[in-house]
Amino acid sequence: MLTRIDHIGIACFDLDTTVEFYRATYGFEVFHEEVNEEQGVREAMLKINETSDGGASYLQLLEPTREDSAVGKWLAKNGEGVHHIAFGTADVDGDAVAIREKGVRVLYDEPRVGSMGSRITFLHPKDCHGVLTELVTSAGTSSVEH
């Protein structure tokens, strides 16, 4: 069961400049920063608030580390802006199966490692009214053993 908006992913050309904008304009601070080599991105997670299920909501700023990454290709086509929305769940595997059974394409056969050690998968935007949608189980919150 989806429990919250985990994060909004925002693609940007320059992570440091974009972080500074969110810091100066809204007062958001970087909670976590990392490079995800598999996905070809450098990212910063800016915590917005805590949530009732023990998680949090974030803005995820994404700068491609290579042009052939999904975010790099997206930026080249669309420019900076909202890239995806992510919903939090305690069971990314179970929810992905349930959503697939409803006819929505799930992009990964098995969830992958995401930010801060989370487990993630994506839903095809053509099946989600044009919105690339991510399902996220935060590290340490899964109700299923893997």
Side-chain angles (χ1 to χ4, degrees), residues 69-143:
S69 70
V71 172
K73 291 175 186 177
W74 190 90
L75 267 171
K77 180 179 179 182
N78 300 292
E80 293 184 308
V82 174
H83 179 262
H84 67 274
I85 185 169
F87 294 108
T89 173
D91 182 9
V92 69
D93 297 88
D95 283 337
V97 168
I99 290 169
R100 181 180 278 126
E101 289 173 353
K102 294 176 182 179
V104 175
R105 287 173 281 180
V106 178
L107 299 183
Y108 303 152
D109 290 332
E110 294 290 325
R112 297 180 181 178
V113 175
S115 300
M116 300 182 288
S118 62
R119 299 186 73 245
I120 65 167
T121 196
F122 285 90
L123 309 178
H124 200 291
K126 288 184 179 177
D127 297 342
C128 299
H129 297 270
V131 178
L132 179 61
T133 304
E134 182 179 6
L135 305 180
V136 178
T137 296
S138 299
T141 62
S142 176
S143 63

